[in-house]
Amino acid sequence: MKPTKVVHMTSVHPVNDVRILQKMCKSLSTKYDFTLLLPNFEDEAYEGVKISSFKLPIKNRFHRMTKVVNQMYKEALKLDADIYHFHDPELTRIGKKLARKGKKVIYDVHEDVPRQILGKTYIPSFLKKPISWFVEKFEMNSAKKFAAIVTATPFIADRFLKANKNTVNINNYPVLDEMLSDFNYDDKTGNKVSYVGVISENRGIKEIVSALEFTTSTFVLGGKFSNAQFEETVKDVPGWEQVDFRGFMSRDEVKKAYQEAKAGLVTLRPLVSFQDSLPVKMFEYMAAGIPVIASNFSLWEEIITKDNCGLCVDPLSPKAIAGAINYILEHPEEAKAMGENGKRLVLEKYNWKIEEQKLFDLYAKLLS
């Protein structure tokens, strides 16, 4: 019997994207003839996942959304898969073309794009609402053409269910083996707190660095700055002297950073697109057994405060962030209990093994 062929496609994300590669690709590779299609990657395999790639250097965003996406469609047809699963809004138009050819196509919606547009600083204010409205209309109309929609949060799923009843929410919860830590909280030395990820203004990094001068903590910061100007701005903040900046970090290095830390920060600014999100970072901190210091969004408070996994603060207030850091450092027994509560919840319900089964069930349904 001919094996089922599955292709995942991305024109935007790097090969090592956590949701795409570490979770979905690795899970599906255990069951299907699986390929990840993306531009400008040299190897035929990466961490056990089969790769198909084509060389077409990306000149700018417009070039990527036109020439690169057009080439991706040609490469996708060559692979002749049974299921195509794409991860970027800009691939919607070729997803619809594949659907018209009778292919089963899944759109994986990582972000609430219409709400995200409202927070884009580079879009003139008077254009934000019309663009957001247009994008939402386009997404809803396109969703009807696909075999299924997969979303990264329940909020996004509720929106797409109106257009496609075959919408499944698959949360971005951590892979247990990857971040789960048996490191004893009592053995942690120093006063380190941590954040690893995108380093941008909207992620609240400037406010965290500003908070440091009101604490005795060292801030372990990993990742890449969104742009040189923001990097310069943050490095001029007095608290930068207490930052241990490590740049890009491998997944093993991230795990070690969390083992060193007494708390993890995810104090994103209160943008509409963030308030209904479920950042994987929050659950990775919980898996690592450390308290979470998070923005006081109602959805996040329901998880963190309700089950005593950490503290929620005003993300725009450096003094509030400093207060939370100091509380964690000054109350080690309570901080340890918060970390243990978070780890228990990850083991019980906030983990990829549970979400993986939803993915397997969806694919079985489409192929039946």
Side-chain angles (χ1 to χ4, degrees), residues 33-102:
D33 179 359
F34 185 90
T35 304
L36 173 60
L37 172 62
L38 76 169
N40 303 314
F41 192 73
E42 300 296 329
D43 300 333
E44 294 181 358
Y46 184 83
E47 294 195 16
V49 174
K50 186 165 65 175
I51 305 292
S52 178
S53 193
F54 56 94
K55 193 164 186 180
L56 188 57
I58 298 170
K59 298 175 183 177
N60 51 49
R61 185 178 294 165
F62 180 75
H63 179 259
R64 188 193 69 209
M65 294 173 70
T66 53
K67 297 285 180 66
V68 174
V69 170
N70 290 342
Q71 185 61 36
M72 181 161 281
Y73 176 66
K74 294 174 184 176
E75 300 296 328
L77 286 177
K78 289 179 193 174
L79 292 169
D80 192 25
D82 298 288
I83 293 180
Y84 291 91
H85 186 141
F86 69 93
H87 292 269
D88 311 307
E90 66 188 42
L91 298 179
T92 301
R93 62 184 179 86
I94 68 169
K96 290 198 288 186
K97 289 173 76 172
L98 289 166
R100 284 197 294 271
K101 285 188 172 291

Side-chain angles (χ1 to χ4, degrees), residues 275-341:
Q275 292 182 40
D276 294 301
S277 68
L278 289 172
V280 67
K281 202 173 318 301
M282 180 191 303
F283 301 102
E284 288 182 347
Y285 295 151
M286 292 162 67
I290 58 176
V292 181
I293 297 174
S295 304
N296 56 355
F297 305 154
S298 57
L299 177 62
W300 298 10
E301 286 187 313
E302 191 176 328
I303 295 168
I304 293 165
T305 307
K306 178 184 171 185
D307 290 295
N308 192 30
C309 305
L311 301 170
C312 291
V313 299
D314 177 356
L316 300 178
S317 169
K319 288 200 172 178
I321 296 168
I325 293 171
N326 289 333
Y327 187 89
I328 295 293
L329 298 180
E330 292 164 8
H331 297 81
E333 288 304 313
E334 191 171 343
K336 180 181 178 181
M338 289 176 179
E340 289 172 349
N341 289 337

Side-chain angles (χ1 to χ4, degrees), residues 245-264:
F245 180 50
R246 301 186 182 181
F248 173 80
M249 299 169 72
S250 68
R251 298 302 287 167
D252 282 342
E253 288 170 333
V254 172
K255 184 173 182 177
K256 287 175 185 173
Y258 294 166
Q259 287 175 344
E260 297 171 26
K262 290 188 174 177

